[in-house]
Amino acid sequence: AESHPPQELATLWWAAAMLGVHSDAMMMALAQQTLTQLAGFSLKHLLMATWGAATSSANPQVLLATQDALSLSFAEPNSQISASTVKELMGVFWSCQLADLLASCFSAVVRQVAWTYGTRLDRKRNTCLRNIDPGRVGNEAHIYK
């Protein structure tokens, strides 16, 4: 079997999802190559791959392994996270949610990354969120200037 680089694998996942391809053999081959090359994927390409994997009947290992890898990569708070990073992480989050395979650890990491980024935006705009716990959903936000 021919081996494809991560960018091509991501494009194949995305295209298969968009075209509604339902070939178990193809999905298993994509899953196998993706898992062996997971460390070489950019976040953008992980998003494309997870979206495709979420819409296929492929082995759930691609989604689970991606969440594990990203949870480790983003475990430490980073104040230099960009808007595109947050969007791409949210895309992976929603892909995993769509497939009903969202891991609680990954969910917590994405929540923390979004919280960190949002807090940085608030500071930049001279606003402050108080009485908010990023670990709880449904708190009332009070914005003070």
Side-chain angles (χ1 to χ4, degrees):
E2 183 180 350
S3 181
H4 299 279
Q7 182 177 355
E8 287 180 14
L9 291 171
T11 302
L12 286 167
W13 276 114
W14 180 84
M18 293 302 293
L19 296 171
V21 172
H22 298 288
S23 166
D24 289 342
M26 180 181 163
M27 295 300 127
M28 292 308 291
L30 280 173
Q32 183 179 25
Q33 286 190 40
T34 299
L35 290 169
T36 60
Q37 299 182 55
L38 199 60
F41 277 73
S42 68
L43 184 54
K44 174 185 174 184
H45 293 125
L46 283 174
L47 170 56
M48 292 171 67
T50 57
W51 192 254
T55 61
S56 79
S57 60
N59 186 315
Q61 286 306 111
V62 170
L63 297 173
L64 298 173
T66 298
Q67 291 178 84
D68 288 346
L70 290 175
S71 292
L72 289 173
S73 294
F74 290 95
E76 295 299 319
N78 180 349
S79 62
Q80 301 305 313
I81 290 181
S82 68
S84 64
T85 297
V86 174
K87 288 177 190 174
E88 289 162 354
L89 272 176
M90 293 299 292
V92 173
F93 176 97
W94 287 114
S95 298
C96 295
Q97 179 66 29
L98 171 72
D100 200 27
L101 290 170
L102 183 62
S104 59
C105 179
F106 180 63
S107 178
V109 167
V110 172
R111 184 182 306 120
Q112 188 60 49
V113 167
W115 176 260
T116 301
Y117 182 73
T119 301
R120 190 176 90 216
L121 288 179
D122 288 335
R123 285 190 191 122
K124 190 183 273 187
R125 293 188 174 112
N126 198 25
T127 58
C128 176
L129 293 180
R130 297 185 186 167
N131 302 325
I132 303 281
D133 176 359
R136 292 187 52 202
V137 177
N139 286 336
E140 292 185 24
H142 302 283
I143 301 177
Y144 299 93
K145 287 192 176 197

